[in-house]
Amino acid sequence: MFAVHLLSFYFSKLQEDQIKKVDRYLYAMRLSDDQLADISARFRQEMEKGLSNESNATAAVKMLPTHVYSTPDGSEKGEFLALDLGGSKFKVLQVKVSEDRKGKVQMESETFPIPEEFLNGRGTELFEHVAESLKSFLRKHHINHTRKALGFTFSFPCAQSKIDEGVLLSWSKNFKARGVQGNNVVQLLRKAIQKVGDVDVDVLAMVNDTVGAMMTCGYDDQNCEVGVIIGTGTNACYIEEMRHIDLVEGDEGRMCINTEWGAFGDDGVLDDFITSFDREIDAASINPGKQLFEKMVSGMYMGELVRLILLKMAKKGLLFRGQVSDALRTKGTFQTKHICLIEQYKGGLENTKEILEDLGLNPSEDDCIAVQHVCTIVSFRSANLVAAALAAILTRIRENKKLKTLRTTVGVDGTVYRTHPQYPKRLHKVVRHLVPDCHVRFVLSESGSAKGAAMVTAVAQRLASQRKEIDDTLAAFALSPTQLQEVKAKMRVELERGLKKDSHPTASVKMLPTYVYRTPDGTERGKYLALDLGGTNFRVLVVKIRTGMRNSVRMYNKIYAIPLEIMQGTGEELFDHIVQCISDFLDYMGMKNTRLPLGFTFSFPCNQTGIDKGDLVCWTKGFKATECEGYDVVDMLREAIKRRNEFDLDIVAIVNDTVGTMMTCAYEDPKCQIGLIAGTGSNVCYMEEMKNIEFVEGDEGQMCVNTEWGGFGANDNIEDIRTRYDREVDGGSLNPGKQRFEKMTSGMYLGEIVRRILIDLTKHGLLFRGRITERLKTKGIFETKFLSQIESFSTILKDTVRELAPNCKVDFILSEDGSGKGAALITAVAQQHYTDKQEPH
């Protein structure tokens, strides 16, 4: 028994000595945690360079857009063909995707060799060989009688401007076919197919093998948003936010980015990690100075890297008693498959001895242990480097999503990952160590990148079909120039009907006189009180205007809530609440005993017979207080003040917020003659010639007219442009049939229109995988502010006005507090107007 223990101790000590010897020799390949974190940070910077327009041209990591906008969502169906070209052999597949997703994806495939003369010959001959093989496959499987969509996996760096186009940037992996670099490989394939003849296919999509791996895994796991290849070559792709991809127009949504991380280090950023062995590998390759990361990581180079190390160690007398065989001197004799055999859990040392003997060597026990450890260091470094780069991608995704913890899936393919007995476990462990805030599931890509090409094609076809259905649904909202001209003409008719005495009562656009006869001229001055009622909040303000100076208005205000029960209670309750708020404000300001002139911004349609007289025509924006419509709201306010009997106010003017907006802007720019509100409600006012306002006495001068254009359409003259969603929103509102134009244009309703569209599209399986959440079913849950956050449309109004009124040069000015400052300015102008009328001439 003692002898057995002694032998065991001797063997362990021998093993330890050999491992230490190799560790000392290959110390530069053994990377610490800090070094891996450093490499990861460097790769993150390289990603950002590749995504930026300014630095992409000189970036080593090209971050190529793939124009793949979605992973599979389970609704894909149909039969597709796939071509997979990326190594010394290529594959043709037929893929059948079942509609119910319960059955597995069915596939038939055939592998075809690529003779050496095609790898290094003319590109046209290479693609004709591929087309001939495709034709053979179709005939053999009797599937050439109907046109099929084809996805093309092309595992080389390509610049894509769309899903079915790819310009080859450079060959790799021993391919050197002439006349391909700089050309569209999809077009070369199409030409070859056409030349071969009798092949009825439609090449819909071209993808990188990495994207294919991600898409294959994405069909079974919809959390998959990263693809990694660790095989003959290496690469990674992931789903990036469109707003970060400078090379592609558009900020909305996401797109898969093909990193082409094999070129990481080509600009020198990894020079301090590249060993003398790596430099020798690079110098002897067909593309010196390029794909340096790939040459440190991938299966095409790992075996050769081990051979070089063993040769140098033997020459130094560290292995094989200094003996070197011809086979060990010969490039390519030690392959990555040998590393896989040597690193097997069981039988690894026996495999090592056999492989070395096949190379003409006579290894000792300690030689086998040392060679096994060399293989471990080389393959472990590969896993470490891949983990560091992958950690950068995962961190970017997590930060893009603004998550503390990311849960995601990485689809992996490649011969090294598939066949090396310990590589996956090492990779997973290092990734989880480097990014503990990313919970990563690794999934082996079944059937590889070719199935993924078919899935990309299926997704492209599904998205095209869905896009058409969505476009058809939204077509009614896209108004043509002709339709807009018709709306313009109809609005003009209604404006004129509203101004005429005989048609005014039946006009849908009421054209209400405001008794505001001019805009500010800069001479206004004084202290004013202003009230602002137009939504769920009510404001009370003190406004101080200094004379002779524009931009010299100071305001003090306080905001009060209008509870729903007050908005929809009685008129008396509403105005008592308003007066209570005024009382609180006057106490707050210490002005209870000061009788200031007051302007009342009342943002609802009123029929005015004077500057301080306004009968409410109808409530809008959710208000339904009783016994108000048809009554003078200024009188109602005065009565409420009397009931409280605490203070007195000089109510000079009732003001519409639209008019206040115009007056505020006119105070800054005397040319301003129009006020526009595009907010909770929608309205416009403008300065009209008095002679055109038939129901108001006097023909001299001008008066501001409050159009109340929100009522446009009440006489059914815009039914041709109202959609069913507009009618649904109208039917569910507090005032069905009224304010139809406002319900198509204003903030109170736009979000609800979108919510109803989203529900409809989801019911048809076009959004959210057909699942309608309970929250989405809630009326009002999709707020109009979301539209502003999602869609940028600030120039649409200006551009359309320019097109429809080409003879009018219009400047748009944003009003600063039209309802408060504007009310005070109107009050000031009104006081001056009536003072001027009373003074003797």
Side-chain angles (χ1 to χ4, degrees):
M1 181 65 96
F2 176 74
V4 171
H5 282 297
L6 190 62
L7 183 62
S8 175
F9 171 78
Y10 171 75
F11 185 75
S12 298
K13 189 75 172 66
L14 175 69
Q15 195 171 29
E16 182 185 330
D17 290 344
Q18 296 306 310
I19 289 171
K20 283 183 177 178
K21 176 174 68 176
V22 173
D23 283 343
R24 281 195 300 272
Y25 190 71
L26 298 179
Y27 72 93
M29 285 190 167
R30 302 181 73 240
L31 302 172
S32 67
D33 288 351
D34 288 343
Q35 287 175 310
L36 291 176
D38 183 14
I39 291 167
S40 187
R42 295 185 198 189
F43 185 70
R44 180 72 185 272
Q45 289 178 340
E46 292 299 300
M47 290 171 70
E48 289 172 2
K49 281 185 191 174
L51 288 170
S52 169
N53 244 340
E54 295 177 0
S55 50
N56 176 267
T58 57
V61 180
K62 285 299 182 186
M63 305 294 285
L64 302 173
T66 65
H67 298 271
V68 172
Y69 296 95
S70 171
T71 52
D73 70 356
S75 65
E76 295 78 14
K77 58 185 177 180
E79 297 182 11
F80 307 92
L81 292 170
L83 274 178
D84 184 4
L85 178 62
S88 57
K89 298 177 182 177
F90 75 95
K91 190 183 286 187
V92 183
L93 300 90
Q94 182 186 30
V95 181
K96 296 179 182 179
V97 185
S98 62
E99 185 173 357
D100 61 6
R101 197 172 185 165
K102 292 177 182 176
K104 291 183 178 179
V105 175
Q106 295 179 310
M107 290 187 295
E108 291 181 283
S109 67
E110 189 172 347
T111 300
F112 297 88
I114 303 178
E116 188 76 22
E117 62 267 23
F118 292 137
L119 292 176
N120 300 306
R122 290 164 52 201
T124 51
E125 294 173 348
L126 171 63
F127 282 98
E128 283 168 19
H129 171 68
V130 171
E132 288 283 4
S133 303
L134 173 61
K135 181 177 180 179
S136 169
F137 177 84
L138 295 175
R139 284 182 174 172
K140 180 177 178 180
H141 295 275
H142 309 290
I143 51 177
N144 205 23
H145 53 281
T146 56
R147 190 169 183 81
K148 289 282 190 295
L150 182 142
F152 181 26
T153 300
F154 188 72
S155 307
F156 305 93
C158 286
Q160 288 188 259
S161 58
K162 49 188 176 180
I163 190 71
D164 63 345
E165 179 183 284
V167 175
L168 178 64
L169 298 176
S170 62
W171 282 119
S172 60
K173 295 177 280 191
N174 286 339
F175 275 72
K176 293 201 78 171
R178 301 185 298 279
V180 183
Q181 192 168 331
N183 288 303
N184 179 3
V185 294
V186 175
Q187 193 59 30
L188 291 172
L189 177 61
R190 284 173 176 157
K191 283 182 179 178
I193 289 171
Q194 189 176 10
K195 184 175 180 180
V196 166
D198 200 25
V199 179
D200 195 12
V201 300
D202 185 9
V203 185
L204 283 187
M206 191 209 84
V207 297
N208 184 275
D209 56 344
T210 320
V211 181
M214 182 189 73
M215 296 296 277
T216 299
C217 296
Y219 183 71
D220 298 312
D221 184 340
Q222 290 170 11
N223 288 322
C224 185
E225 49 192 345
V226 182
V228 175
I229 296 287
I230 314 159
T232 308
T234 186
N235 196 11
C237 69
Y238 72 103
I239 303 292
E240 176 61 86
E241 303 297 318
M242 283 285 288
R243 66 181 183 273
H244 296 149
I245 309 171
D246 287 357
L247 302 176
V248 178
E249 286 188 11
D251 290 337
E252 309 303 329
R254 306 170 82 204
M255 182 190 286
C256 179
I257 287 291
N258 166 22
T259 67
E260 287 298 336
W261 76 8
F264 179 36
D266 287 6
D267 56 357
V269 298
L270 289 181
D271 281 0
D272 48 335
F273 292 103
I274 293 175
T275 68
S276 59
F277 308 110
D278 297 312
R279 297 189 192 286
E280 197 166 334
I281 289 280
D282 177 45
S285 69
I286 62 170
N287 55 350
K290 295 181 179 178
Q291 300 295 108
L292 296 182
F293 185 72
E294 183 169 78
K295 289 168 185 172
M296 299 165 76
V297 163
S298 73
M300 185 169 181
Y301 304 97
M302 266 202 285
E304 182 63 9
L305 200 52
V306 170
R307 185 191 70 82
L308 279 177
I309 293 167
L310 299 184
L311 181 61
K312 288 181 181 296
M313 287 184 75
K315 286 181 176 179
K316 286 180 177 289
L318 299 173
L319 285 176
F320 317 130
R321 294 172 296 280
Q323 299 298 309
V324 176
S325 66
D326 289 339
L328 189 60
R329 289 192 183 95
T330 305
K331 182 180 177 180
T333 53
F334 194 100
Q335 298 174 15
T336 300
K337 66 180 181 181
H338 296 137
I339 296 176
C340 298
L341 289 169
I342 288 169
E343 287 200 72
Q344 281 184 356
Y345 292 105
K346 292 182 179 179
L349 283 175
E350 290 83 349
N351 293 337
T352 307
K353 184 175 174 60
E354 187 177 321
I355 290 164
L356 294 175
E357 286 175 345
D358 287 344
L359 290 173
L361 298 164
N362 184 23
S364 63
E365 192 73 39
D366 59 343
D367 286 333
C368 292
I369 293 168
V371 169
Q372 191 179 52
H373 194 52
V374 168
C375 291
T376 298
I377 287 177
V378 169
S379 63
F380 215 130
R381 184 186 69 157
S382 169
N384 277 334
L385 290 170
V386 170
L390 180 55
I393 290 175
L394 294 168
T395 300
R396 184 171 181 88
I397 294 172
R398 182 181 61 78
E399 291 178 357
N400 281 348
K401 293 183 175 184
K402 297 180 171 63
L403 297 173
K404 287 185 178 178
T405 303
L406 173 71
R407 291 186 181 277
T408 192
T409 299
V410 176
V412 196
D413 199 2
T415 51
V416 173
Y417 188 85
R418 282 175 176 276
T419 61
H420 192 289
Q422 300 184 61
Y423 197 99
K425 185 177 75 171
R426 291 171 182 166
L427 174 66
H428 304 170
K429 185 176 180 180
V430 178
V431 167
R432 286 165 184 150
H433 180 68
L434 289 174
V435 279
D437 46 10
C438 297
H439 297 214
V440 187
R441 178 174 181 246
F442 291 86
V443 177
L444 182 64
S445 174
E446 295 296 335
S447 308
S449 52
K451 176 183 169 185
M455 295 312 306
V456 170
T457 308
V459 168
Q461 201 167 69
R462 186 250 300 168
L463 290 177
S465 173
Q466 290 179 343
R467 183 76 259 170
K468 185 178 184 307
E469 285 190 64
I470 292 171
D471 287 345
D472 290 345
T473 301
L474 300 179
F477 290 92
L479 301 180
S480 67
T482 301
Q483 286 175 303
L484 290 172
Q485 290 287 358
E486 289 172 358
V487 172
K488 172 186 164 184
K490 290 174 182 177
M491 178 67 85
R492 179 70 184 269
V493 168
E494 288 302 302
L495 294 175
E496 291 176 355
R497 288 187 72 240
L499 287 170
K500 294 186 182 300
K501 195 169 187 177
D502 57 346
S503 56
H504 176 78
T506 59
S508 64
V509 180
K510 287 300 180 186
M511 305 296 284
L512 303 175
T514 66
Y515 295 89
V516 173
Y517 293 96
R518 67 170 177 83
T519 55
D521 61 9
T523 63
E524 295 76 17
R525 63 187 175 89
K527 186 187 292 186
Y528 303 90
L529 200 62
L531 310 180
D532 176 14
L533 179 66
T536 55
N537 290 327
F538 169 65
R539 278 196 311 160
V540 188
L541 310 90
V542 170
V543 183
K544 295 180 181 178
I545 305 173
R546 293 173 60 192
T547 188
M549 294 176 62
R550 295 187 184 272
N551 301 311
S552 56
V553 177
R554 297 179 69 184
M555 292 183 290
Y556 308 88
N557 73 89
K558 203 169 180 184
I559 298 173
Y560 301 88
I562 306 285
L564 185 63
E565 62 269 20
I566 298 290
M567 290 171 63
Q568 300 181 6
T570 66
E572 191 170 294
E573 289 170 339
L574 173 62
F575 281 91
D576 283 348
H577 179 75
I578 288 170
V579 171
Q580 181 184 327
C581 297
I582 296 170
S583 175
D584 176 81
F585 179 78
L586 293 174
D587 280 337
Y588 173 74
M589 295 295 294
M591 298 172 61
K592 266 279 176 71
N593 299 319
T594 307
R595 191 171 188 266
L596 293 177
L598 181 145
F600 183 15
T601 299
F602 187 77
S603 305
F604 304 92
C606 283
N607 191 8
Q608 285 186 252
T609 54
I611 190 70
D612 62 345
K613 297 179 176 64
D615 295 344
L616 176 62
V617 176
C618 63
W619 283 120
T620 58
K621 294 179 275 193
F623 278 74
K624 287 206 79 171
T626 59
E627 298 176 0
C628 292
E629 293 181 357
Y631 291 89
D632 186 340
V633 294
V634 176
D635 284 346
M636 295 181 77
L637 178 60
R638 284 177 175 145
E639 289 298 318
I641 292 170
K642 283 180 184 177
R643 281 195 299 274
R644 190 164 186 94
N645 196 28
E646 285 184 8
F647 52 84
D648 192 19
L649 298 173
D650 178 17
I651 305 175
V652 175
I654 180 170
V655 181
N656 183 277
D657 58 344
T658 320
V659 183
T661 293
M662 181 190 75
M663 297 293 274
T664 299
C665 293
Y667 186 68
E668 311 297 333
D669 182 350
K671 296 195 294 294
C672 182
Q673 292 190 301
I674 299 173
L676 170 68
I677 293 288
T680 307
S682 178
N683 196 15
V684 77
C685 70
Y686 70 102
M687 297 302 293
E688 177 61 88
E689 300 299 317
M690 283 288 291
K691 64 178 182 285
N692 296 331
I693 311 172
E694 293 185 0
F695 48 85
V696 175
E697 289 186 9
D699 289 341
E700 300 300 322
Q702 292 183 317
M703 180 189 286
C704 178
V705 169
N706 167 23
T707 67
E708 288 297 339
W709 74 1
F712 180 44
N715 54 3
D716 296 338
N717 61 345
I718 56 171
E719 287 306 294
D720 57 323
I721 64 168
R722 286 178 86 215
T723 69
R724 62 188 178 92
Y725 303 106
D726 296 312
R727 294 187 176 92
E728 285 175 11
V729 168
D730 179 33
S733 69
L734 290 170
N735 55 351
K738 296 180 180 179
Q739 299 295 107
R740 294 181 188 180
F741 186 70
E742 182 169 78
K743 288 169 186 170
M744 297 168 72
T745 57
S746 72
M748 187 165 183
Y749 303 98
L750 292 181
E752 182 61 12
I753 291 172
V754 171
R755 186 187 72 87
R756 289 175 179 270
I757 295 169
L758 296 180
I759 286 176
D760 197 31
L761 295 176
T762 307
K763 282 179 180 176
H764 289 83
L766 301 172
L767 290 177
F768 314 133
R769 301 188 179 104
R771 301 186 195 117
I772 302 174
T773 64
E774 287 302 314
R775 293 198 72 196
L776 189 58
K777 293 177 186 176
T778 307
K779 183 179 177 181
I781 197 71
F782 196 97
E783 300 176 42
T784 298
K785 68 179 181 182
F786 298 158
L787 273 71
S788 301
Q789 292 165 358
I790 293 168
E791 174 70 279
S792 174
F793 48 83
S794 62
T795 65
I796 294 174
L797 174 66
K798 298 175 186 177
D799 294 344
T800 307
V801 167
R802 194 180 301 114
E803 290 168 12
L804 295 178
N807 297 324
C808 301
K809 185 179 181 301
V810 184
D811 291 323
F812 289 84
I813 302 172
L814 186 63
S815 170
E816 296 295 335
D817 196 7
S819 50
K821 182 176 172 180
L825 287 165
I826 290 170
T827 304
V829 168
Q831 279 192 318
Q832 282 187 348
H833 175 77
Y834 288 108
T835 300
D836 291 345
K837 285 184 71 174
Q838 290 168 6
E839 288 179 359
H841 294 283

